[in-house]
């Protein structure tokens, strides 16, 4: 099959015409859709009702289109390379190269970036406490707490690097919070 072309504007207009004409017929309104200017012919007393009906139709269409694109994506994923067919244990080993650090758009080295790839990867990462065993001083407190929760009872390593440069009170407060979390979980 060749590449699917985008719908022509007249096809979209025809679909809108069918929808609006259907609304008119259901409401015994003797109007035929003829383009955007059609809205000028709608009786003033019906404007709000027509707007509400069109918004409801739009929401239904968006919902149906989301379902269709979701199903297409699932079918597409079935035909993707065998990376998605790897056993979870192998994926978890591969994910060992990534750390639970804050997402960094330029680096792509965070487990959080991988969580967004697909459900299989997300499930493998979240369900593997051994992937959540590192804390470091630049980690936001919320992420550090998440790491501790997801690590379950596994030991946690702390990466603490200092270049000796004062970074301000916010950083010191974050460091204090992470240290407090680490001390609370020191019995691991």
């Amino acid at each position: 099959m060749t590449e699917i072309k985008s719908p022509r504007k007249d096809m979209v207009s025809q679909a809108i015409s069918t929808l609006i004409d259907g609304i008119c017929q259901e409401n015994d309104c003797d109007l035929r859709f003829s383009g955007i200017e059609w809205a000028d012919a709608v009786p003033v007393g019906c404007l709000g009702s027509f707007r509400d009906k069109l918004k409801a139709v739009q929401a239904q269409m968006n919902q149906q289109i989301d379902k269709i694109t979701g199903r297409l994506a699932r079918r597409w994923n079935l035909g993707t390379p065998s990376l998605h067919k790897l056993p979870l244990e192998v994926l978890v080993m591969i994910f060992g190269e990534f750390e639970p650090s804050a997402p960094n758009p330029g680096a792509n080295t965070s487990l959080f970036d991988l969580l967004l790839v697909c459900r299989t990867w997300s499930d493998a990462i979240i369900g593997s406490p051994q992937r959540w065993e590192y804390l470091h001083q630049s980690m936001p407190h919320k992420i550090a707490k998440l790491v501790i929760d997801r690590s379950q009872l596994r030991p946690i390593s702390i990466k603490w690097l200092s270049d000796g440069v004062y970074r301000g009170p916010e950083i010191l407060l974050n460091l204090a919070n992470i240290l407090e979390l680490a001390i609370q979980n020191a019995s691991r």
Side-chain angles (χ1 to χ4, degrees), residues 138-186:
S138 63
M139 188 177 279
H141 183 260
K142 286 183 180 181
I143 291 179
K145 179 80 174 105
L146 182 68
V147 167
I148 287 174
D149 292 343
R150 288 194 177 158
S151 68
Q152 296 171 3
L153 296 176
R154 294 185 63 86
I156 295 178
S157 298
I158 300 173
K159 289 188 176 182
W160 206 269
L161 305 172
S162 176
D163 56 8
V165 178
Y166 177 71
R167 305 242 189 257
E170 296 162 0
I171 301 298
L172 286 178
L173 179 60
N174 188 56
L175 290 174
N177 288 333
I178 291 176
L179 269 179
E180 184 179 329
L181 279 174
I183 291 168
Q184 289 170 359
N185 291 276

Side-chain angles (χ1 to χ4, degrees), residues 1-140:
M1 179 179 204
T2 60
E3 186 175 331
I4 302 293
K5 297 177 183 175
S6 294
R8 298 183 318 267
K9 284 186 180 183
D10 63 321
M11 290 173 65
V12 173
S13 294
Q14 184 179 7
I16 291 172
S17 175
T18 301
L19 287 169
I20 291 178
D21 288 346
I23 293 171
C24 288
Q25 285 177 345
E26 282 185 17
N27 293 286
D28 296 324
C29 182
D30 193 26
L31 290 175
R32 303 269 315 153
F33 182 75
S34 58
I36 302 297
E37 299 80 23
W38 166 87
D40 297 337
V42 175
V44 173
C46 299
L47 290 174
S49 179
F50 263 98
R51 185 192 66 229
D52 293 345
K53 299 288 185 224
L54 285 174
K55 291 218 177 260
V57 167
Q58 182 180 23
Q60 290 172 3
M61 285 180 58
N62 287 342
Q63 189 176 40
Q64 289 295 316
I65 288 171
D66 288 346
K67 286 180 181 178
I68 291 168
T69 55
R71 182 163 283 194
L72 288 172
R74 280 190 295 282
R75 287 201 52 215
W76 171 263
N77 287 339
L78 290 174
T80 56
S82 58
L83 177 64
H84 294 289
K85 297 172 187 159
L86 286 174
L88 289 181
E89 298 81 19
V90 175
L91 281 175
V92 170
M93 288 172 46
I94 293 169
F95 299 150
E97 297 299 314
F98 296 84
E99 294 183 0
S101 57
N104 183 350
N108 295 326
T109 58
S110 172
L111 281 178
F112 291 98
D113 295 323
L114 297 179
L115 288 171
L116 303 175
V117 172
C118 67
R119 174 153 297 176
T120 302
W121 285 26
S122 179
D123 291 346
I125 293 166
I126 291 172
S128 303
Q130 66 270 30
R131 291 301 112 224
W132 303 95
E133 32 184 46
Y134 296 101
L135 289 178
H136 52 82
Q137 83 270 12
S138 63
M139 188 177 279

